[in-house]
Amino acid sequence: MEPRRVSDNGSEESWVMVNPATSDEFTNQLSRLKIQPSPEELLAVKRELDADSSRTQHLVRRESETKATPHPWGRIGSNAGHALDRSLGPFVDTSGRSIFIDVIKPTVALLIAIQRVGNPQPLLLCSASTPSGTASSIALNAGSIWFPAQQFTSTAPASSYVGLQIQSGTISFSTPVAVGAVPIVVSGGIAVTATLRLVAAPPTALIHNASVQTPSNVTFSFTAAGSSLSSAEASNLTAFGTAVQLSYSTAPAQYDSIFSRVLFPLVPNKSSFTVISSSSRLATVSGSATISVAAWSLPVTITTNVATLGSAAGSGGNSLSLTAGLEVSVTSSTLSINCGLCTLLVEPSTLELGGLSATAPKSALSISLYSLSNLTFRSSAPFAFVYISESVDLEVWAMVTTLVAQLDQPRTINNTRVRLSGPAVFELVRNGVTTKLTARGTNAMANVSVQSFALKNLLLRASNPTSILVTGIYSSNTVSQGIATLGFTLASVLPFLPDPYATNLDFSEPSSTAAAGALTMILTWQSTAPVIINVSLPTTDSSSAKVVTVPGLAKTEKQVDDQQFSLIERIKSVSASAVKPRGSPTYLDLSTNISQFGILISDVAAGSLNISNLFLEAPNNTVAVITLPAVQWEPVVTVPDPAAFPTPLTYPDCGETFVMATESVTLIPIAPRQAIDAILGSYNSSTPEKVAVRFTLPFGMEATTQLIPSTSTLFSSPGLRQIQPSFSSSNLAGGDQVSFTPASSRLLHVIGQVRSPSLQGSTTLLQNALYNGTSTKTTVLSPIDGAFNPTFSTGGSNPSVPITRIDISGFGESTFSDWRNPTDAAAAISKVNFNVMLGRTSREVVQLYSIKYPWATRVVRTITIDRQNSGVVVRSDSGWQAVSQGLYQYPKPGITTNSGVVLGITNVANIRDTGSTYTTPDGSQLMGVIFDCGVIMEHVVKGAGPDGTVPGRDLLGYVQLTDRTAQPPLGQLADDQYTYLISTIGPMGGQIDCVININNSGLLMRIKSIGVTATRSASGSIEFVMQAGGAPILPGGGLWSFVSQGSSDPSPNAMDPINGVPLIRRNATTVAPITTYPYIFQNGVDLFPSSPATYICLMHSTGTQRLIFPQPKIESTGPSQITSTVTPFLADPYVLATATGPFCHVNLCIPFNNASYSLAISSTGDLKLQLPQPSFTTNAPPRVLRSSKTLETIAYCSDETGAPSVVTISIDTSLTKPWSISVTNMSLATSSGSLGEVVRIVGNIQSDSQTPTQIVNSRVLFGKALQPVQSVVSFLDHFGQIPAPTIAMTNDWQIQAGLKFDFAEYLKAVPALASLIKQFVVDLDFKLVAEITTQDTTMDAEFEVTLKFKTPFGIDVIGLASFEIHMADKGNTYTITLGAGLGVSFDCAGFDAIAYFAVTQSLIIGDDVFGLGTGTLLKGSIDLEIVEVDIEVEASMAVVKVSCTGPSGDAESTIWGFAQATIAVEISIAFIIDIGFSWSTEWKNNFNGGPCPLVGV
């Protein structure tokens, strides 16, 4: 149960209930009662209480050394009427009073109440064994019985009880009652009788020959008329040598207000009482007085809870009420009083004499105190007194009087003394040979004026003294050593510092005139020693007492509870809610006595304030030590002055104040010196407390640290000490400085410390600088500032303060700290150096250690801030400086780089910022840089410097500025974040220029660029590939080059002209190198995939055909050769005509039978194709080269019988004939949907480096549409071979293949038949041309014959016939022309001549065309062997209807008319000179304005 107090009707004592299991509560009660036992006393008390832990114990505070109440005005003691189990003490309170704790003896059994129906007030409470059912009486057990006092006399106090200790007894009822239930309830008409046998108390040796015998057997009656003592045996008392016999009386009970007792009147055997002998050494009694009342006297106790009634004290005592006649003389004083009406009470252990109307006719009593102080007691009116004797050596004299106190101390700020006058109680206690004085008084004029008192750090405005309590050793009207406690009514207080100071408090007077509470001053003196003054502020001990409010300091308990964090936590967090001097009461000492330290007070509960040694005190954890900002943030100039960096940078202020606080709750003076000593003392004590500190560091840094004492033997505690050098010879002392040093590991001293020790806490670089008066996010540490806070601030990777020692005073901080972090992690602060002297920075150095991607070059960047001789603070930026080579060795596993032929970089220099930054998804920030270096290339043969490296200029890399935002940091990029970087900004690297010998194979390659890409291995992990780009130096013998083809591209494309051909190799730098992996001409992203996104192909080109070798590679072991796992392809002349780029669609090409080939590389770089067999048969399916709605062109790898083609390829660039290609049985067919296959050219394609491509063993096969032509060709073929078709490639990717029959040449080939044929045939022409381009395919076939027939008239009849076919993707057109005419011809002397005129008619039909035409022809020729002349004049016209789909989607038609006239003259002389002239004109007209164009006619 919780401890609690029960008021006892004005008594200053109180009940305290203590749970025996938690007797520590007893200590708390002693503290509340301002009792200060020694540790030994407290331990003994706790042991005694804990020994009886089986029950709840009732404790009573007693201020008197006697168990009887010494108050002359009759206040009831809380222990009155109770038997005491034991007494604890004495304890001495702060006023010098002896305090005892009485432990009330509990009842043996539960008390049973007997009460009337309808009345909760019991008639009595007793210990009894109650039978079940009903009974006329119950027997009482030995123990206690209690009666409410007011049922005997109405003048007794409310809730008061009298008790008796009985041996036995009986409770009788006039009518049987139910006794089975508790309480026992009786009706109003039932009489209750209590017959009791009392316990006789053993006699005690008393002075004044005193003794007493109380009644042994008594009877109490309880009826409806009232309660009374109905019988009592005879008793007696003896005191001061006179004995009085007493017998029962029927007189009603009375209440004794002097001793607070119930009196049951008795009949004395004497009418007067005379003092025969008085043996006291304190007070001598004399005289004689008449006995007015003799009585059996029982003490009353007051309680509202009958459960608190314990064992009764006994059977009371006997008393005599006397008239005036007795006198008392107080020894060692001039006091002599007439007792007036008084009462003499004798109990087995006590003799008491007291009254309320005493007089003192003699002069005042004056008692000297300290220096010029004294107490004067006067009694001008009747007053109360009491004399108590408990034993020969313990007696008390107390009286009510008037006191005048004149005190030399304390004095007001005006140096006036205090004085008080008013009623008082004067008390002397003799205990053995020592007499102790206690005087209590009040001031009748306390509130007449307000006085001001100055303590060491607090100004008090209070009333005149309201009360005084003096205790001390009394002898001969002198108290040579004692304690005076003065009470005041406090009006207001104002804290201050002992020396000149500045504060943020408001000095205005309090608006309220209400009293702030009771102020107490305690003055202690001893002989001639100076008086010691202690002051106590009002506390919350009493519910009626007010709590003092110190301006700006004290808060209510609730206000303090509402604070979520203690001062130390808020200082540590440096959050917006942290303690800031602008809001909390702050005092800054301006003198040099304490080196301009100050204090800051926060969250002080009003009840926590105290005054000790005249200092206002507060708990240590609410008083922080402060100074002004410990270092100046001066303007910083950057040199050289870069255009991009703002200079100078200035600051609006110098940051927050220095704050140092502790968790200790020890009360300390609110003053800088004492606060410093207390914080250092609590930290360095045997039970150390944590200390939190906030301070500033140079140029925008704020730091917090928490000094936590170490409990491990392996680690020392952080250092906290005061530094104040002494110069005793000169009587000088240095200024106060508080020094902080970080904890260190004793183990690391043995094994070698890796990182400099640092203070636990956090450091934050603020973005609070100004440029031209405007806020900027640039700091003095830009661009490396992004790594500072993520490292050292709260939540960072290493939250701490990177200093090895710092000393702070009010004049500024001093530190010469060189903190080092020899880490190998990206974006890590590796060095922090401060040189500061008394708040002025001479040097600051912050260095960031990081990694430059993609080579993993370690770099550092150092920001240095120096104070010049002129006082200007100058900032310089080293830029990035390489501290290692770049060999792809990252600090941790996770980034695997396949370096290929780019083994690394070295001699990295001239690193420059690009101004670009990139932030990865996980928050890592990087900045772009360009730099120069030496690139370590494999097998360099040209372009390397003296050191064997290739110069690299302005290569691009990215330096990591910050680690990921999540904790813990990685120390480098995660592989996926590195991939994001590459995909966003590209492969980095850049241009170089060198020639390498790939794997010393003999194949040289000029490297123009290097860069990194990301890929995924077969297991799915991310790896990175360093890719070299350039141009392999390939031999002649055709045109060698490289092309690339994406997985979705239909045909290969030209390579990137900037980066060139990529060369990569799998050789991860994080594992042991595997030398068997080949060198691959492939993009880095395709290092692992079996189906690469892009195929890199080696291509060999000739005039009319090309070869590609996909995914070429050079093995790292074995012969020097180019191989692949992918089959090569041959693009023959037909399919090559469809190419839109460097190569045609691979699906149209002729594949090799397998990938079992190699291109052997000679030492001179020549290539030789090596196949398992020199020739192979291809089974390539028909390849549709062009297909439209009107025309389809198909290339077959077989002839018309289906015999497959045989491919023979030879490449050896070292030979004079470096290459040759032949493909047998190649067919090119053209067909039309309406005509079927029109024509097919079949033959063998042959080409080499010295012979143009041609079709040999060719033949032209005509379809049904050209059967007449087929017949003529077949007929003529019987007389001689028709010339072979030709094939040619043009520069704009088209192929022409055709057959032209020249009649004149044919006649020369068959001279035996020439004369016969010439008799009938004037001209016979046949021409067939097939043309394939990337946009269109056309086939033109033309057959024309001119015949002559001799007539008898010498004139020839001329007949003409022609048939033309024009086939194209846009449509087919057929033209049939017939004509007739007359002419002459002759053959004379070896020359021929002919001339004729003819008229022709034409029919034009086609897919979308129909028309009719007519024309005339005049032609003549003469052949003189040496000279041949041909003249031709032709005119023709036609009308044609063309159909098409119009713009609106509807069918449209157009009527065209056109005409053409041609004149041609050709002269040939001796087959050497050809003279030709031609003129032609053309006309056409759209008759109906239709939308259809005229094409193919």
Side-chain angles (χ1 to χ4, degrees):
M1 82 178 49
E2 294 296 326
R4 63 186 181 91
R5 282 189 310 192
V6 179
S7 298
D8 8 59
N9 194 24
S11 173
E12 63 180 359
E13 294 91 355
S14 57
W15 286 101
V16 181
M17 302 182 68
V18 177
N19 186 331
T22 57
S23 61
D24 285 342
E25 297 170 0
F26 176 70
T27 307
N28 298 332
Q29 293 299 322
L30 294 182
S31 175
R32 182 184 61 79
L33 298 174
K34 295 185 178 180
I35 300 173
Q36 300 171 342
S38 67
E40 295 79 8
E41 292 174 325
L42 185 60
L43 181 61
V45 169
K46 292 177 66 176
R47 284 175 179 172
E48 187 169 349
L49 290 176
D50 290 338
D52 191 6
S53 60
S54 60
R55 54 186 171 84
T56 298
Q57 302 180 60
H58 298 219
L59 309 180
V60 178
R61 175 177 180 268
R62 171 165 52 91
E63 295 182 4
S64 173
E65 295 187 32
T66 65
K67 296 180 176 60
T69 303
H71 301 303
W73 50 84
R75 299 183 67 181
I76 302 174
S78 298
N79 60 351
H82 280 96
L84 299 185
D85 193 23
R86 56 194 178 279
S87 295
L88 308 176
F91 307 104
V92 179
D93 69 1
T94 55
S95 299
R97 293 176 296 183
S98 295
I99 304 298
F100 295 82
I101 304 298
D102 292 336
V103 181
I104 302 300
K105 187 175 183 179
T107 58
V108 177
L110 180 67
L111 293 176
I112 299 174
I114 300 176
Q115 61 192 54
R116 299 277 185 193
V117 174
N119 187 356
Q121 180 73 28
L123 297 174
L124 57 89
L125 296 102
C126 60
S127 298
S129 299
T130 58
S132 60
T134 60
S136 299
S137 64
I138 59 175
L140 300 181
N141 300 324
S144 298
I145 186 169
W146 290 91
F147 305 98
Q150 282 191 328
Q151 67 182 334
F152 298 114
T153 173
S154 60
T155 57
S159 303
S160 60
Y161 291 81
V162 293
L164 295 171
Q165 191 70 229
I166 65 173
Q167 297 183 40
S168 61
T170 302
I171 304 296
S172 302
F173 306 101
S174 60
T175 302
V177 298
V179 295
V182 177
I184 299 174
V185 180
V186 299
S187 63
I190 297 177
V192 179
T193 304
T195 304
L196 308 175
R197 180 173 179 79
L198 305 182
V199 174
T204 303
L206 300 175
I207 60 174
H208 309 296
N209 299 317
S211 63
V212 66
Q213 180 183 353
T214 57
S216 299
N217 294 282
V218 295
T219 302
F220 291 94
S221 298
F222 305 93
T223 65
S227 303
S228 63
L229 176 67
S230 57
S231 69
E233 286 187 350
S235 60
N236 62 68
L237 70 82
T238 300
F240 299 107
T242 298
V244 179
Q245 301 297 321
L246 303 172
S247 60
Y248 172 74
S249 171
T250 60
Q254 304 175 13
Y255 181 71
D256 179 6
S257 60
I258 296 178
F259 293 121
S260 301
R261 302 169 77 93
V262 173
L263 303 180
F264 293 97
L266 300 175
V267 178
N269 65 344
K270 295 180 180 179
S271 60
S272 64
F273 181 83
T274 302
V275 176
I276 299 175
S277 64
S278 177
S279 57
S280 171
R281 286 183 290 177
L282 176 64
T284 301
V285 182
S286 61
S288 176
T290 301
I291 301 174
S292 59
V293 177
W296 180 31
S297 177
L298 300 180
V300 301
T301 186
I302 296 178
T303 180
T304 57
N305 181 8
V306 296
T308 62
L309 294 172
S311 294
S315 57
N318 291 336
S319 67
L320 300 175
S321 297
L322 305 175
T323 61
L326 298 185
E327 296 182 354
V328 176
S329 297
V330 179
T331 308
S332 299
S333 73
T334 59
L335 282 177
S336 179
I337 67 169
N338 297 323
C339 296
L341 297 177
C342 60
T343 298
L344 173 65
L345 171 64
V346 181
E347 291 186 289
S349 60
T350 307
L351 179 146
E352 300 181 50
L353 177 66
L356 302 176
S357 57
T359 58
K362 294 185 178 181
S363 61
L365 172 64
S366 180
I367 299 176
S368 298
L369 304 178
Y370 54 88
S371 61
L372 301 178
S373 303
N374 60 77
L375 303 178
T376 300
F377 299 95
R378 290 186 176 90
S379 298
S380 58
F383 57 88
F385 78 97
V386 66
Y387 169 76
I388 302 173
S389 174
E390 284 193 354
S391 66
V392 174
D393 291 325
L394 179 59
E395 50 185 337
V396 178
W397 167 262
M399 60 181 286
V400 176
T401 182
T402 299
L403 168 67
V404 175
Q406 292 182 321
L407 305 176
D408 184 59
Q409 294 287 345
R411 299 193 185 190
T412 69
I413 59 174
N414 296 323
N415 201 31
T416 59
R417 296 179 175 87
V418 298
R419 184 177 184 274
L420 63 84
S421 176
V425 174
F426 173 75
E427 178 182 316
L428 293 176
V429 177
R430 182 187 68 83
N431 194 338
V433 297
T434 302
T435 302
K436 184 177 180 180
L437 176 142
T438 300
R440 302 179 181 88
T442 58
N443 191 358
M445 306 294 290
N447 297 319
V448 172
S449 62
V450 175
Q451 306 293 333
S452 295
F453 301 91
L455 307 185
K456 294 179 181 179
N457 65 343
L458 185 67
L459 180 67
L460 303 171
R461 298 183 71 253
S463 66
N464 288 319
T466 58
S467 63
I468 186 171
L469 169 62
V470 178
T471 61
I473 304 302
Y474 174 80
S475 177
S476 302
N477 294 335
T478 300
V479 178
S480 58
Q481 62 180 42
I483 298 174
T485 302
L486 299 177
F488 300 82
T489 298
L490 183 64
S492 64
V493 298
L494 180 67
F496 62 86
L497 295 186
D499 293 307
Y501 67 95
T503 183
N504 61 349
L505 286 185
D506 184 5
F507 286 94
S508 60
E509 287 287 335
S511 58
S512 174
T513 59
L519 174 71
T520 303
M521 291 189 186
I522 300 175
L523 292 78
T524 305
W525 69 94
Q526 187 169 6
S527 299
T528 59
V531 175
I532 299 173
I533 301 177
N534 285 302
V535 181
S536 297
L537 291 173
T539 66
T540 57
D541 283 347
S542 173
S543 60
S544 61
K546 293 187 178 180
V547 178
V548 66
T549 299
V550 180
L553 270 65
K555 299 183 180 180
T556 67
E557 295 289 351
K558 183 179 186 304
Q559 286 174 316
V560 177
D561 291 341
D562 287 343
Q563 299 290 340
Q564 295 181 356
F565 303 103
S566 67
L567 175 64
I568 193 168
E569 291 299 323
R570 290 200 302 277
I571 290 178
K572 183 176 67 175
S573 66
V574 196
S575 63
S577 62
V579 172
K580 297 184 182 298
R582 298 181 184 87
S584 298
T586 305
Y587 294 84
L588 182 66
D589 195 306
L590 301 180
S591 73
T592 58
N593 287 339
I594 189 58
S595 300
Q596 296 185 2
F597 277 100
I599 55 171
L600 178 149
I601 305 131
S602 173
D603 299 341
V604 183
S608 299
L609 294 172
N610 184 55
I611 295 176
S612 178
N613 194 25
L614 299 185
F615 270 109
L616 175 65
E617 294 182 330
N620 202 346
N621 62 350
T622 66
V623 180
V625 175
I626 67 162
T627 69
L628 292 176
V631 63
Q632 296 186 40
W633 292 351
E634 302 169 82
V636 179
V637 178
T638 297
V639 292
D641 185 4
F645 197 90
T647 184
L649 282 178
T650 59
Y651 296 90
D653 52 38
C654 293
E656 297 290 355
T657 56
F658 162 82
V659 181
M660 177 175 66
T662 181
E663 287 186 336
S664 172
V665 295
T666 302
L667 293 175
I668 66 168
I670 301 178
R673 168 72 66 189
Q674 288 75 9
I676 292 174
D677 293 344
I679 291 175
L680 270 62
S682 66
Y683 179 78
N684 293 301
S685 68
S686 59
T687 57
E689 298 283 355
K690 300 176 183 177
V691 173
V693 185
R694 181 188 67 201
F695 54 93
T696 54
L697 290 171
F699 308 115
M701 294 184 190
E702 286 189 349
T704 61
T705 182
Q706 187 168 212
L707 307 179
I708 302 177
S710 173
T711 58
S712 170
T713 58
L714 297 179
F715 295 90
S716 65
S717 296
L720 174 60
R721 61 194 181 99
Q722 185 173 0
I723 298 177
Q724 189 176 28
S726 176
F727 307 92
S728 56
S729 61
S730 302
N731 195 26
L732 295 174
D736 296 271
Q737 294 185 90
V738 180
S739 180
F740 305 92
T741 54
S744 61
S745 170
R746 298 183 175 93
L747 181 62
L748 292 179
H749 285 309
V750 177
I751 65 176
Q753 190 161 344
V754 177
R755 182 170 60 195
S756 300
S758 57
L759 291 171
Q760 178 182 340
S762 66
T763 308
T764 302
L765 176 63
L766 305 177
Q767 291 182 331
N768 65 334
L770 303 176
Y771 175 55
N772 289 335
T774 303
S775 296
T776 175
K777 291 187 176 181
T778 302
T779 71
V780 292
L781 298 186
S782 295
I784 65 173
D785 51 356
F788 194 89
N789 287 348
T791 300
F792 296 114
S793 66
T794 302
S797 60
N798 179 30
S800 60
V801 184
I803 56 175
T804 56
R805 172 179 167 177
I806 187 169
D807 302 339
I808 295 180
S809 76
F811 304 116
E813 68 185 34
S814 299
T815 179
F816 298 91
S817 173
D818 188 14
W819 183 87
R820 300 297 181 100
N821 178 24
T823 184
D824 186 26
I829 301 296
S830 57
K831 178 179 181 180
V832 179
N833 170 240
F834 296 114
N835 289 349
V836 183
M837 176 64 76
L838 293 179
R840 301 292 296 275
T841 304
S842 63
R843 184 176 178 83
E844 175 184 338
V845 178
V846 177
Q847 184 181 85
L848 179 67
Y849 180 94
S850 194
I851 292 174
K852 178 168 59 64
Y853 299 86
W855 289 277
T857 306
R858 273 52 168 186
V859 293
V860 296
R861 189 163 188 164
T862 307
I863 305 297
T864 303
I865 302 173
D866 279 312
R867 182 181 299 278
Q868 305 296 306
N869 292 335
S870 62
V872 176
V873 178
V874 176
R875 171 189 177 275
S876 61
D877 184 349
S878 70
W880 294 108
Q881 304 294 322
V883 295
S884 77
Q885 296 177 317
L887 302 178
Y888 313 103
Q889 299 295 325
Y890 289 91
K892 297 180 180 178
I895 296 182
T896 301
T897 303
N898 296 275
S899 62
V901 297
V902 188
L903 303 182
I905 59 175
T906 188
N907 300 327
V908 179
N910 196 23
I911 305 176
R912 290 145 286 157
D913 300 345
T914 65
S916 63
T917 59
Y918 175 74
T919 302
T920 62
D922 72 354
S924 301
Q925 187 179 40
L926 300 98
M927 71 179 304
V929 295
I930 56 175
F931 58 95
D932 302 334
C933 66
V935 183
I936 307 172
M937 299 295 295
E938 186 180 76
H939 305 310
V940 181
V941 296
K942 187 177 181 180
D947 61 352
T949 63
V950 176
R953 299 290 180 264
D954 296 337
L955 299 186
L956 176 64
Y958 268 74
V959 177
Q960 189 169 350
L961 293 178
T962 66
D963 214 317
R964 64 179 185 177
T965 54
Q967 295 296 334
L970 289 180
Q972 64 189 43
L973 289 179
D975 54 2
D976 59 335
Q977 306 302 305
Y978 189 15
T979 303
Y980 285 125
L981 172 67
I982 295 170
S983 64
T984 302
I985 59 95
M988 294 175 278
Q991 305 297 312
I992 64 172
D993 191 2
C994 69
V995 177
I996 66 171
N997 186 347
I998 303 175
N999 196 35
N1000 284 329
S1001 65
L1003 180 62
L1004 304 182
M1005 181 174 180
R1006 184 176 184 182
I1007 305 298
K1008 299 296 292 182
S1009 67
I1010 53 177
V1012 69
T1013 58
T1015 186
R1016 285 194 179 272
S1017 67
S1019 64
S1021 63
I1022 299 175
E1023 292 193 15
F1024 301 90
V1025 184
M1026 183 56 66
Q1027 176 177 305
I1033 301 175
L1034 299 168
L1039 179 61
W1040 294 91
S1041 62
F1042 279 82
V1043 292
S1044 66
Q1045 180 180 8
S1047 59
S1048 60
D1049 295 337
S1051 59
N1053 301 301
M1055 296 298 301
D1056 178 2
I1058 297 177
N1059 295 319
V1061 179
L1063 177 63
I1064 60 175
R1065 186 184 180 212
R1066 182 180 176 187
N1067 55 343
T1069 56
T1070 57
V1071 298
I1074 301 176
T1075 58
T1076 57
Y1077 290 123
Y1079 297 78
I1080 308 172
F1081 296 98
Q1082 191 64 280
N1083 290 326
V1085 70
D1086 295 322
L1087 177 63
F1088 292 101
S1090 57
S1091 298
T1094 301
Y1095 287 91
I1096 305 298
C1097 308
L1098 175 62
M1099 184 173 70
H1100 180 255
S1101 303
T1102 66
T1104 54
Q1105 55 273 317
R1106 294 189 175 180
L1107 285 164
I1108 60 169
F1109 302 92
Q1111 288 189 276
K1113 57 185 175 66
I1114 298 176
E1115 297 293 341
S1116 58
T1117 58
S1120 298
Q1121 57 187 8
I1122 297 174
T1123 61
S1124 178
T1125 59
V1126 181
T1127 301
F1129 293 91
L1130 167 66
D1132 59 73
Y1134 296 141
V1135 300
L1136 197 59
T1138 64
T1140 58
F1143 203 77
C1144 59
H1145 199 304
V1146 293
N1147 290 341
L1148 300 177
C1149 297
I1150 300 174
F1152 284 34
N1153 285 354
N1154 52 56
S1156 298
Y1157 80 93
S1158 66
L1159 286 169
I1161 307 170
S1162 70
S1163 60
T1164 59
D1166 286 302
L1167 299 178
K1168 181 179 180 181
L1169 178 61
Q1170 296 176 330
L1171 296 170
Q1173 299 295 330
S1175 301
F1176 62 88
T1177 299
T1178 179
N1179 296 314
R1183 297 163 292 160
V1184 178
L1185 307 183
R1186 180 69 61 186
S1187 180
S1188 67
K1189 65 179 182 178
T1190 59
L1191 182 67
E1192 188 173 60
T1193 304
I1194 303 174
Y1196 296 91
C1197 290
S1198 62
D1199 62 8
E1200 70 277 14
T1201 66
S1205 300
V1206 176
V1207 181
T1208 304
I1209 302 174
S1210 173
I1211 299 176
D1212 188 347
T1213 62
S1214 64
L1215 303 177
T1216 56
K1217 184 179 178 181
W1219 63 270
S1220 65
I1221 301 174
S1222 69
V1223 183
T1224 65
N1225 297 333
M1226 289 290 290
S1227 298
L1228 179 66
T1230 302
S1231 61
S1232 172
S1234 59
L1235 301 178
E1237 186 174 295
V1238 178
V1239 66
R1240 177 186 291 216
I1241 300 174
V1242 182
N1244 301 333
I1245 297 177
Q1246 289 187 346
S1247 62
D1248 57 46
S1249 60
Q1250 299 176 353
T1251 306
T1253 301
Q1254 60 182 345
I1255 301 177
V1256 299
N1257 300 327
S1258 64
R1259 51 198 177 276
V1260 179
L1261 304 175
F1262 297 95
K1264 293 181 179 180
L1266 296 182
Q1267 279 303 315
V1269 180
Q1270 180 68 55
S1271 299
V1272 172
V1273 172
S1274 299
F1275 169 75
L1276 294 176
D1277 204 27
H1278 287 86
F1279 301 98
Q1281 184 177 6
I1282 297 177
T1286 60
I1287 185 168
M1289 295 293 294
T1290 65
N1291 290 334
D1292 58 352
W1293 284 118
Q1294 66 181 23
I1295 184 171
Q1296 292 179 344
L1299 174 65
K1300 182 177 182 181
F1301 180 78
D1302 190 330
F1303 183 63
E1305 294 297 326
Y1306 179 74
L1307 292 178
K1308 293 178 183 179
V1310 288
L1313 301 174
S1315 58
L1316 175 62
I1317 295 173
K1318 287 171 63 177
Q1319 292 181 16
F1320 303 101
V1321 181
V1322 177
D1323 195 7
L1324 177 63
D1325 289 329
F1326 169 66
K1327 182 172 63 175
L1328 176 66
V1329 178
E1331 183 176 290
I1332 304 172
T1333 69
T1334 58
Q1335 291 81 28
D1336 198 5
T1337 298
T1338 61
M1339 196 281 292
D1340 289 297
E1342 182 178 347
F1343 177 77
E1344 183 178 348
V1345 63
T1346 304
L1347 302 176
K1348 67 177 178 177
F1349 301 96
K1350 290 288 187 178
T1351 67
F1353 310 104
I1355 299 175
D1356 297 337
V1357 177
I1358 302 300
L1360 294 89
S1362 69
F1363 178 61
E1364 297 179 16
I1365 298 176
H1366 174 77
M1367 303 177 68
D1369 291 341
K1370 298 178 181 179
N1372 301 329
T1373 305
Y1374 313 102
T1375 304
I1376 301 173
T1377 302
L1378 298 175
L1382 300 174
V1384 296
S1385 62
F1386 53 89
D1387 183 1
C1388 180
F1391 65 89
D1392 298 326
I1394 186 171
Y1396 56 88
F1397 170 79
V1399 178
T1400 63
Q1401 300 292 327
S1402 300
L1403 174 63
I1404 305 169
I1405 61 175
D1407 296 332
D1408 300 311
V1409 177
F1410 177 80
L1412 297 174
T1414 185
T1416 61
L1417 175 64
L1418 176 62
K1419 187 173 183 180
S1421 67
I1422 183 171
D1423 185 0
L1424 303 175
E1425 297 291 341
I1426 300 300
V1427 178
E1428 182 178 353
V1429 179
D1430 291 301
I1431 299 174
E1432 181 177 349
V1433 178
E1434 183 179 7
S1436 61
M1437 63 176 295
V1439 177
V1440 180
K1441 178 183 178 181
V1442 181
S1443 300
C1444 67
T1445 301
S1448 63
D1450 298 331
E1452 303 279 356
S1453 65
T1454 303
I1455 305 300
W1456 286 94
F1458 66 89
Q1460 185 179 39
T1462 303
I1463 300 175
V1465 177
E1466 184 176 353
I1467 302 172
S1468 178
I1469 303 173
F1471 304 105
I1472 298 174
I1473 300 174
D1474 288 323
I1475 300 173
F1477 166 78
S1478 67
W1479 172 86
S1480 177
T1481 184
E1482 186 178 275
W1483 167 89
K1484 64 180 177 180
N1485 183 50
N1486 186 333
F1487 289 113
N1488 65 343
C1492 304
L1494 180 64
V1495 294
V1497 179

